Amino acid sequence: METGRLGLVLAVMGLMCPAAEALDNGLALKPTMGWLHWERFTCNTDCDTDPTNCISERLYMQMADVMVKEGWKEAGYEYVCIDDCWPSHSRDAQGRLQADPNRFPGGIKKLADYIHSKGLKLGIYADVGKNTCAGYPGSLGYYETDAQTFADWDVDLLKFDGCFLDRSLIAEGYMSMSKALNKTGKSILYSCEWPLYEWPIKQPNYTAIREYCNHWRNFQDVFDSWSSIKSILEWTASHQKIIVPAAGPGGWNDPDMLVIGNFGLSHDQQQSQMALWAIMAAPLLMSNDLRDICPRSKELLQNRMIIAINQDPLGRQGLRTAQVMDCDVWERPLFGNRLAIAIMYKQELGGPRRFPISAVPGWKICAPQCNVTQILPQYKELGVQSHQKELVLSVNPTGTTLLTVTPLSGDLRKQHWNDTSAQKKHIVL
Ligand code: GLA
């Protein structure tokens, strides 16, 4: 980007930034994109009988190879992330974590070198408590040692889980690890589960979370099912007043992995996950088998227009703005006074719902005219639409129609999304 434009983007981002400071490690200025093993490969450590799918260095190397060869890297997916079950059950003589020697014979540093040689980044997993959720050694009492070990290995991201720690100590633990990572002098993206583990005892302090983490899980683990996706969306919408203001360049709400390309979602439901994760400015961490993925799922995950919404430079998370005609309407303000609109039809019966765009609260910005692009369920330029004339969309059951609209008035004062009081009036929080 040339300097003038970069300056403008930064100025706008500055204006739009949430009040709270972001973790100042220069990372996650846009939602993280990559691959994370958990949902698809869980804690499969049986390399004798299932060498292709067990948690071993081979899995990450193969995923990295495919990411480069099959266009994933080019589409923006950058981090190859290890989840639970990578370590040996005991620390080494110096008290350091070590990878399971049978499954990671080369060790993590070698794996990081390999991933870096492909132009990608490596993520690792640890836990703030005594043990990881699957029972491997936790970092409690070893925050500085573990942070330094990860830095020595040249790891680029840490997913820090919250099992096996008294909930009243969660905040302190996550903050201490953030400081320990910072102390290493290496920039390591810090992915937290702090609010998820704190909600059962109190409303988390999102100002603090944003100061210490680059993204944070709020809600339960994603499963490969439509009911799981629905529950995550419902939780997000019903807590949007609290969590949305915390998101912005440097720090994001994390609704968990994309499960597109697996077994549990229909194609329309996969489109819904992709569209809504873009609207939510969510990290796009796929958990699937990139070595064997159906072409339609691949095309959806690599859809440049949806990725562009997710990575929009304004960096504002979208919201659910209406519930009407069995549909949830979500809207996300984009850079340059544009708007992304997602209409998800919730009824699990019958055929497509006809949905008048005038039922979208933000359609107001299209007076007198807007240029409308439909991205899902299929790409279609809907051209210049006037606010007066009724545009009727079609939304599939459990599917999502995703659009971008660009007002043609060019009058920036009409950018009511950037005006907090107007935003409050406009949006049903
Ligand atoms: C927790 C996390 C998951 C995953 C597992 C691993 O449940 O929320 O994302 O990391 O632990 O054991």
Side-chain angles (χ1 to χ4, degrees), residues 193-206:
E193 299 201 27
W194 166 355
L196 165 60
Y197 287 92
E198 209 171 50
W199 269 111
I201 57 160
K202 63 172 188 177
Q203 181 175 316
N205 176 351
Y206 281 92

Side-chain angles (χ1 to χ4, degrees), residues 38 83-84 125 133-134 159 161 193 196-197 217 221 257:
W38 184 254
D83 207 288
D84 207 345
Y125 167 100
C133 297
K159 170 174 172 175
D161 211 335
E193 299 201 27
L196 165 60
Y197 287 92
R217 285 270 310 282
D221 294 3
M257 295 158 268

Side-chain angles (χ1 to χ4, degrees), residues 125 127-134 161-165 170 174 197:
Y125 167 100
D127 189 287
V128 69
K130 207 169 154 299
N131 290 106
T132 73
C133 297
D161 211 335
C163 277
F164 298 106
L165 183 66
I170 283 285
Y174 275 96
Y197 287 92

Side-chain angles (χ1 to χ4, degrees), residues 298-375:
K298 180 177 171 192
E299 197 186 317
L300 175 62
L301 285 162
Q302 294 193 0
N303 184 309
R304 298 300 200 271
M305 285 188 238
I306 310 177
I307 292 173
I309 294 173
N310 177 266
Q311 301 279 297
D312 183 77
L314 191 57
R316 289 187 59 191
Q317 178 172 347
L319 296 162
R320 185 166 73 188
T321 56
Q323 293 185 274
V324 57
M325 288 182 280
D326 294 317
C327 292
D328 280 358
V329 177
W330 292 69
E331 299 178 59
R332 176 174 176 185
L334 303 176
F335 183 69
N337 201 24
R338 295 167 68 240
L339 186 65
I341 301 171
I343 302 149
M344 187 181 100
Y345 179 30
K346 291 185 291 186
Q347 190 151 281
E348 300 177 23
L349 175 81
R353 161 71 30 113
R354 284 171 60 74
F355 189 94
I357 202 165
S358 57
V360 174
W363 180 242
K364 279 190 210 76
I365 66 162
C366 287
Q369 287 185 319
C370 252
N371 198 48
V372 182
T373 302
Q374 179 181 295
I375 300 171

Side-chain angles (χ1 to χ4, degrees), residues 171-193:
E172 202 184 307
Y174 275 96
M175 291 191 282
S176 302
M177 188 46 142
S178 185
K179 288 180 198 153
L181 290 171
N182 191 44
K183 213 174 136 191
T184 68
K186 182 177 155 56
S187 297
I188 299 179
L189 200 151
Y190 187 37
S191 164
C192 298
E193 299 201 27

